Amino acid sequence: MTKDKSNDGDGEKPKDGILSVDPALKQAMEELRKLLVNTAFQIPEVDQSEKMLTALVTHAFYAAHGIDVGSLKAELEFSDAELAELDAIIADNAAKMRNTPRWLLSNPRHQNRGEDALEAVPFKEWRLRHKLEYPILWMALPAMLTASFLSAKSALLSSGLPVYVENPILMAAVASIPGFGAIMLKSLGSLFASDAAQKRYAFGIFGMAAGALGVWAVTFADSFHGIGGGTLDIFSDKPVWKEKLLVGAQLAFEFFGSTAIYLRIERLSKAYDPDTWFRNLEFDGFEDIDSQKTEERADLRKVVAHMRGVQISQHSALDLQIELALASLRAKRARGNDPTL
């Protein structure tokens, strides 16, 4: 008698869905297989008898193990749905993490942290080169803003447009745009999260200022006839584009130059009075959720993988029963109607 490899014979039904029967039920199943083979043997046509035997063995298998197979299938469907839900939660949480800053700029007093270690360095303890540079920058900044205002105002006056000539307040407001633009550009650099990005932004501003200064120097020199007795011949007998280029380069230099001075002052200030950054509690909450749900998903995937393995073993056990029954039927046909088979 061929041994049924789908039976463990431990006498108990395991909780993980692996098929197992006690010895008495195992003997009954073997007797049932003999009965099914003998029933199918009565059909003369080979194909029909084998189809009938396959169907009978399948029904008998599910009659004995249908509860285990069905419960395992239901558990798998539930676990798959739970996995999909976890995937959605993790993806949504990851999107929130991407849109939430990890660190927040804050005053140490707001966080009840020790402030002694975060005090600013007094100006008298600064490096000598910075002591000299810092006040020079503060004097250069209003001078640059004033020059920008006067340059823009002169350009508006020289245009001769009544809307500016007859309305000095409007002319002053328009002439102030380069100064306000410099403040805006300086503030824009603070939006970059990393120090490296802020440095690249500052280098870009300094580069724009240097480029504008170079263009202004060339166009200004082209309008000047020299030092000895020459006259400054700005805009006389010059193409219109050169006039516009000279004024544009001057305004651009004053615009980007003011921003560059702003950034340098800010850089020195941060060196001796650095910003204080604290962990964003909202981001920490998202991070905890991500860690928890990712761990849950990993554990559930292990359970699902094990259940799929059990499901494969169940299908293999059914296939084995069918093949054993068909082998018995074919052997019985080869030997004839031998009741001792």
Side-chain angles (χ1 to χ4, degrees), residues 73-238:
K73 181 180 178 181
E75 289 177 8
L76 269 174
E77 291 176 352
F78 175 78
S79 298
D80 287 338
E82 190 175 358
L83 268 179
E85 183 180 358
L86 282 174
D87 288 337
I89 293 174
I90 292 174
D92 179 69
N93 190 71
K96 293 179 180 178
M97 290 176 64
R98 287 192 297 269
N99 297 323
T100 304
R102 183 186 294 268
W103 297 91
L104 293 176
L105 183 63
S106 178
N107 188 294
R109 293 181 180 179
H110 297 165
Q111 301 289 340
N112 297 322
R113 305 290 180 89
E115 190 181 2
D116 295 339
L118 301 172
E119 290 182 353
V121 178
F123 182 76
K124 63 181 181 180
E125 298 180 10
W126 285 25
R127 293 180 180 271
L128 178 60
R129 65 177 186 272
H130 292 160
K131 286 182 180 180
L132 298 175
E133 181 184 5
Y134 198 68
I136 292 175
L137 289 173
W138 273 114
M139 289 186 292
L141 180 59
M144 183 72 76
L145 292 174
T146 302
S148 174
F149 174 81
L150 293 177
S151 297
K153 184 177 179 181
S154 299
L156 294 175
L157 281 174
S158 63
S159 68
L161 294 175
V163 67
Y164 296 124
V165 176
E166 298 175 2
N167 193 340
I169 296 179
L170 176 61
M171 180 173 57
V174 175
S176 302
I177 290 177
F180 292 126
I183 298 175
M184 183 273 295
L185 278 185
K186 180 265 176 189
S187 302
L188 180 62
S190 303
L191 297 179
F192 293 100
S194 66
D195 186 69
Q198 292 182 7
K199 285 184 177 180
R200 288 193 294 268
Y201 180 77
F203 282 135
I205 294 296
F206 275 90
M208 296 292 289
L213 179 61
V215 174
W216 177 86
V218 172
T219 54
F220 185 82
D222 185 56
S223 302
F224 191 64
H225 293 295
I227 298 177
T231 59
L232 188 61
D233 191 22
I234 299 178
F235 303 156
S236 61
D237 299 329
K238 296 293 181 182

